[in-house]
Amino acid sequence: MKLKELLAGISYEVLGKNKINDELEIDCVEYDTRRLSGHSVYVPLIMGKIDGHDYIAQAIEKKAELIFVSKDTVELSEDSVFLKVLDTNKTLSQLAMNFYHHPTNALKLIGVTGTNGKTTTTFLIERCLKYFKKNTGLIGTVETHIKEESFPSSNTTPFATDLQRILSKMVEAGVEYVPIEVSSHALTLERVCGCEFEIGVFTNLTQDHMDFHKTFEEYRDAKLKLLLSSKNAIVNSDTEVSSYYIEELKKKTHIDIFTYGIHHEADVLAKNISIDITGSKFDVVYKEEVERFEVVTPGEFSVYNTLSTISTLIVLGYTLGEIREALSSQKGVSGRFETFVSKNGFCVVVDYAHTPDGLLNVLKTANEFAKGRVITVFGCGGDRDRSKRPKMGRIAGEYSNIVVLTSDNPRTEDPELIMDEIEVGLKETNVEYIRIENRYEAIKYAMQHAKKDDVVMVAGKGHEDYQILNTGKIHFSDIENVKKLIE
């Protein structure tokens, strides 16, 4: 792409004496100096403690033609043209959209944000659209889909250049609809800046990422950014922030607001809910329509995920009857309340629950159908929000008969010290518990001590097939290990 096309619509100031060559052909736009090649543009991102401005020397060594900066303290070089902008994070998104010829103009993006439920909701939306013979893509925590192809994901929402490249490939493949998980990190760091969403879905908001967001209000407002950049905003009416969101959305006359819920009035309501180990059954009421839905995942949280999917499909023009047919053919999502039944008559549930609210939801559900005891295996990730550790310990203690405290992804932290902080909350309850740092041994212990009608809840990692230790990433899958131990 010629440089003048790349810079279209971007406000900047040229620093130093070097001149811009508008006709220069640019080969790549990057935020990572290791990926610079050919006639390249480097855009340093600012992400918390990480500042890409610190890597400008490497960009110069890689012969970057243009370097964008948002700071006045950068030392200029005659080898590159330096352009000053207000926000390099936003600028990267603008450049990426230009470089990949604005792929979102040819796609219907369905963004899903919230503390919990993003992955399940995006998967369900995609599967239903496939049922309706639509060409789909998907971007999220577990994997990326381009029609029938699947690729592993490294971020819930990719960095701007990666995101636009993926979307460009989707356009080339003939994709029309793209459900995409949009994290609060991505919204704060402007990864989806400039993307217009056909639909923005808000699932819920509870404590998470307090290591990244300074306040809960900042976290709340980050999620709101997705809804404000959508033509249609779908809001869970049962969340504490729903009224605040709706009031903010009403100020934007171009946004259509749609709500769903169980306990408060909404456009789409679930009533007469029945939950057991086989799944969830409930009536869905929309205007004059009423349909009975059945999904394979038990729990009120599963009803909410289904309602967000139903609401999305209604906005896209489908009837309740059509949606019920589409959902009735769907299986559960890997690592989301995935259930395994042993020959000895107890069951094991593997779930991604890694927040206080997520753990509370799955343990409440387990208690609803457990005829015996609930045995919970869990830990907390290292280098992440420490304040949620005692809260999760208390929740595990209150809703379990036995807790096996173990390691999650400790990263650079000492697993024993992480367990110490979780144990503070556990001790506030009278639950019986044991500490077993080795996660495989912890799962094994829980299953060996389970009896007929017990439920073993293995929480925290869900679909993940790795564990991040201070020595690096190793292969580890709760699902694989549970299957192995059951056999």
Side-chain angles (χ1 to χ4, degrees):
M1 173 176 282
K2 288 192 186 318
L3 184 55
K4 63 182 177 183
E5 297 174 79
L6 181 66
L7 297 178
I10 295 173
S11 299
Y12 58 85
E13 174 192 352
V14 180
L15 302 180
K17 299 177 181 179
N18 290 351
K19 304 289 185 184
I20 290 178
N21 176 6
D22 282 344
E23 297 301 312
L24 180 66
E25 288 285 343
I26 297 298
D27 299 313
C28 76
V29 179
E30 281 298 342
Y31 59 90
D32 186 337
T33 57
R34 295 167 296 185
R35 293 160 56 171
L36 293 172
S37 63
H39 297 295
S40 60
V41 174
Y42 175 62
V43 188
L45 296 182
I46 298 176
M47 303 178 290
K49 296 178 182 178
I50 300 172
D51 188 343
H53 289 80
D54 297 336
Y55 299 92
I56 285 176
Q58 286 93 314
I60 295 170
E61 286 179 15
K62 288 288 191 79
K63 304 188 185 306
E65 300 280 354
L66 257 72
I67 297 175
F68 282 84
V69 298
S70 59
K71 295 185 174 182
D72 296 318
T73 55
V74 173
E75 186 176 340
L76 305 183
S77 166
E78 294 181 0
D79 298 323
S80 303
V81 177
F82 283 76
L83 303 183
K84 174 81 178 295
V85 293
L86 289 176
D87 187 329
T88 49
N89 289 31
K90 279 188 177 180
T91 299
L92 180 67
S93 292
Q94 293 172 303
L95 290 168
M97 285 190 291
N98 286 348
F99 190 74
Y100 290 103
H101 306 286
H102 295 265
T104 58
N105 291 345
L107 298 166
K108 289 183 171 64
L109 295 187
I110 301 167
V112 181
T113 197
T115 308
N116 300 307
K118 296 187 295 295
T119 298
T120 299
T121 299
T122 51
F123 267 80
L124 288 176
I125 292 169
E126 185 205 30
R127 289 174 181 177
C128 288
L129 288 171
K130 282 185 179 296
Y131 179 87
F132 295 129
K133 309 299 182 187
K134 300 298 183 183
N135 290 327
T136 63
L138 179 140
I139 298 173
T141 304
V142 181
E143 55 196 16
T144 296
H145 301 165
I146 301 179
K147 292 175 80 170
E148 304 309 318
E149 290 187 273
S150 296
F151 312 91
S153 297
S154 54
N155 298 97
T156 295
T157 313
F159 287 87
T161 47
D162 303 322
L163 174 62
Q164 297 299 325
R165 175 175 46 79
I166 293 166
L167 293 173
S168 177
K169 289 183 177 180
M170 289 184 180
V171 172
E172 291 174 7
V175 166
E176 185 181 3
Y177 294 91
V178 186
I180 171 173
E181 292 184 53
V182 187
S183 66
S184 59
H185 286 70
L187 290 158
T188 302
L189 299 173
E190 305 292 357
R191 292 179 192 171
V192 295
C193 176
C195 293
E196 287 193 12
F197 290 84
E198 184 71 19
I199 298 173
V201 182
F202 167 67
T203 59
N204 50 59
L205 192 72
T206 59
Q207 182 182 342
D208 199 16
H209 304 307
M210 290 299 107
D211 54 317
F212 178 78
H213 299 285
K214 296 181 180 66
T215 64
F216 185 80
E217 288 72 26
E218 185 182 297
Y219 181 40
R220 174 200 67 190
D221 291 343
K223 299 288 188 187
L224 177 61
K225 288 176 72 174
L226 171 68
L227 303 179
L228 292 172
S229 61
S230 303
K231 295 177 186 176
N232 300 277
I234 297 175
V235 178
N236 179 349
S237 66
D238 289 343
T239 62
E240 290 184 8
V241 298
S242 62
S243 57
Y244 169 75
Y245 279 3
I246 290 169
E247 286 304 311
E248 292 299 310
L249 289 165
K250 283 180 178 177
K251 296 175 185 177
K252 308 292 183 181
T253 56
H254 65 283
I255 300 174
D256 289 327
I257 306 168
F258 196 93
T259 58
Y260 67 91
I262 299 173
H263 306 293
H264 294 84
E265 280 303 311
D267 295 306
V268 172
L269 277 171
K271 295 185 176 182
N272 303 320
I273 299 171
S274 171
I275 294 170
D276 58 34
I277 193 171
T278 65
S280 307
K281 302 176 182 66
F282 51 97
D283 292 333
V284 174
V285 182
Y286 172 60
K287 293 184 177 178
E288 303 303 318
E289 293 182 83
V290 181
E291 290 281 351
R292 187 72 175 169
F293 280 73
E294 296 185 18
V295 292
V296 297
T297 307
E300 189 175 82
F301 68 91
S302 179
V303 178
Y304 279 118
N305 291 337
T306 309
L307 288 175
S308 62
T309 302
I310 293 168
S311 299
T312 300
L313 294 168
I314 287 174
V315 170
L316 291 175
Y318 296 98
T319 67
L320 272 189
E322 291 170 329
I323 299 166
R324 181 186 56 76
E325 286 183 16
L327 280 169
S328 66
S329 66
Q330 306 306 325
K331 298 178 180 178
V333 176
S334 177
R336 268 59 179 181
F337 218 90
E338 190 165 357
T339 306
F340 306 88
V341 180
S342 80
K343 295 173 183 176
N344 295 336
F346 66 86
C347 80
V348 184
V349 178
V350 176
D351 194 87
Y352 189 53
H354 61 286
T355 65
D357 187 63
L359 187 62
L360 178 63
N361 284 336
V362 295
L363 288 178
K364 275 186 174 180
T365 301
N367 276 277
E368 284 179 25
F369 64 74
K371 296 178 181 177
R373 302 168 300 170
V374 174
I375 304 173
T376 301
V377 183
F378 90 107
C380 288
D383 302 331
R384 297 294 186 268
D385 181 8
R386 293 173 59 186
S387 68
K388 68 182 182 183
R389 294 172 186 173
K391 294 177 184 177
M392 292 179 69
R394 186 169 57 253
I395 289 167
E398 288 175 351
Y399 289 90
S400 309
N401 300 99
I402 301 172
V403 172
V404 184
L405 191 53
T406 189
S407 180
D408 190 287
N409 290 321
R411 299 181 177 87
T412 65
E413 288 194 65
D414 183 342
E416 293 290 345
L417 295 180
I418 295 174
M419 288 192 287
D420 286 346
E421 294 185 348
I422 300 170
E423 195 173 18
V424 171
L426 273 173
K427 287 181 175 177
E428 294 176 9
T429 71
N430 295 318
V431 72
E432 175 188 340
Y433 73 91
I434 185 172
R435 292 171 53 143
I436 304 175
E437 180 190 327
N438 183 289
R439 192 171 179 91
Y440 175 79
E441 293 299 327
I443 296 170
K444 183 179 177 181
Y445 176 91
M447 292 176 66
Q448 285 178 336
H449 287 77
K451 301 174 182 177
K452 186 177 183 296
D453 295 330
D454 286 350
V455 175
V456 177
M457 175 64 66
V458 182
K461 294 177 62 59
H463 66 279
E464 292 179 354
D465 61 359
Y466 58 82
Q467 192 172 22
I468 307 173
L469 312 175
N470 59 6
T471 53
K473 185 184 284 190
I474 63 169
H475 180 80
F476 189 94
S477 166
D478 284 351
I479 294 170
E480 288 176 13
N481 288 317
V482 166
K483 287 180 177 178
K484 175 183 175 182
L485 288 164
I486 278 183
E487 291 171 3

